Amino acid sequence: MANSNRFAKLVLMTIAMCFYFLPTKEVLQKQNNVKLLACSQLSSTQPDTRSQLSSTQPDTRSQLSSTQPDTEIRSKQQKQERLLKQREDNCRDYRISKQAIYRLKEYWSSPIVVPKYKLIFFWNEKSACTYWKKLFQFIQGIKNTEVHNHRNGLATLNSFDICEIIKMMYNESWVKAVFVREPRERLLSSNLEKGRHQHVMYQLCRVNRTVTFYEFLEIIKHCKNGHWDKQVRIPEYLYEQMMVGKLSEISSFTERLFKKIGAWNEKVVAWLQSSEKLTRDHRSDAKSKLLQYYNGTKTGDLIFDLFPEDYRVFGFSMTNYNKINNTTT
C-alpha cells in the first residue's frame, strides 16, 4: 500500500513539472514576434544580394540589343567592300590606267552620257561644246537654261563608278563618239576670246599684261586650261572604235551620229534649223584669220610640237597655212 502511494505521488509530480515547463499561447506569440522582428532587422541591415547584382551587373540583353545595330552596320560595310573588291577584280580583266579613269571622271570635262541612246560623247571646249550640250538636252527633254555647269541636267561618266565606266567603254553596244577641232584654229579662237583680255589671263594664268599670240602659245605650255588643253585625253587605242567628228563637218556628223544611235527625227531636224547659229557661237571669226596669224612656219610648228597627239589620232593635216588656202580643216 505504501509503495502504491509513492508511485502515485511520483506520477503526479511528473505531470505537474510538464505543465510547469509547457509554454503558454501568449509566450509562443511573443517568441514568434521576437523572431519576426529579428528577421526584419536583418533584412533591413543586409541588402538583397540579388538587387545588388542586378544594379551592379548590367543587363546583358540590353547590351546585346545596343551593340547589335553596330554589328549589323559593320557586317553590311564588310559585305559591300567584298562586293566592290570583287567587281574591281572583275574589271582588272580590262586594261585601262588609273590616270585614264581620272580623266574620264574629271569634273568639268567628263564625257556626256545619254543612257536612252547608249551614247558616250567626248566633248571639248572651243569645239562647239555649247551646240552639243544644248542638243543633248533637247533630245532628252531637259528644259534647263544652264549649259556649262553641273546643273545642266546632263549625265556624265563622273556619276558612274569605275567598274561601270570600264564595262561601258568596252561594251560594243554603247556608241562612243568624240568631237574635235583643228588645233591651230582652236588655239587661235582661245587666244581671241581669252588671251586678248588681261584680266582673264591674270585669272587663268596669273599673267597681268597683254600678250601676243606667240607669247600666249608659250604661256599655255605651263598654264593648263580646258580651252586649250589637248583633245586626246585618254589612251589612244580607245579612240580606235570611236566615231570622230570635226568642226568643219558638224552638220553631216550630227546627222550621221544621230542616225546611228536612233535619235534622228523631224523634231531634231527642226531644232537644228532653228539653232543653226549655235555652230557659229564663240568662234570669234578665227577661221578667217588663220593666214594672218599663221603666215609663217614658226607658230604652226610650235602648235605641232604642243599637240602631236591631236594631229596623229584625229588625222588633221600638218601642212602650213601659208602653203594652202584658208579653207583647210
Side-chain angles (χ1 to χ4, degrees), residues 20 108 171 183 191 271:
Y20 178 81
W108 289 109
N171 190 334
N191 174 255
W271 185 90

Side-chain angles (χ1 to χ4, degrees), residues 60-117:
T60 55
R61 289 175 299 178
S62 63
Q63 278 189 329
L64 289 174
S65 63
S66 64
T67 58
Q68 188 173 4
D70 294 337
T71 304
E72 290 179 356
I73 292 173
R74 285 196 298 270
S75 178
K76 288 181 180 179
Q77 289 176 342
Q78 291 171 355
K79 184 177 180 180
Q80 290 175 350
E81 290 173 358
R82 286 196 301 269
L83 290 174
L84 182 60
K85 186 178 185 302
Q86 184 179 358
R87 295 183 67 186
E88 290 178 349
D89 290 340
N90 294 336
C91 291
R92 288 173 186 170
D93 295 337
Y94 306 106
R95 295 183 179 180
I96 187 166
S97 66
K98 290 183 178 179
Q99 184 179 6
I101 292 293
Y102 170 78
R103 297 303 301 272
L104 290 172
K105 290 178 70 67
E106 202 164 20
Y107 185 76
W108 289 109
S109 60
S110 183
I112 295 170
V113 178
V114 186
K116 180 179 179 180
Y117 297 104

Side-chain angles (χ1 to χ4, degrees), residues 194 197-209 223:
K194 306 292 182 184
H197 303 284
Q198 183 173 333
H199 69 283
V200 176
M201 287 302 294
Y202 179 76
Q203 180 181 3
L204 298 178
C205 301
R206 289 296 183 265
V207 177
N208 193 19
R209 60 185 175 84
C223 177

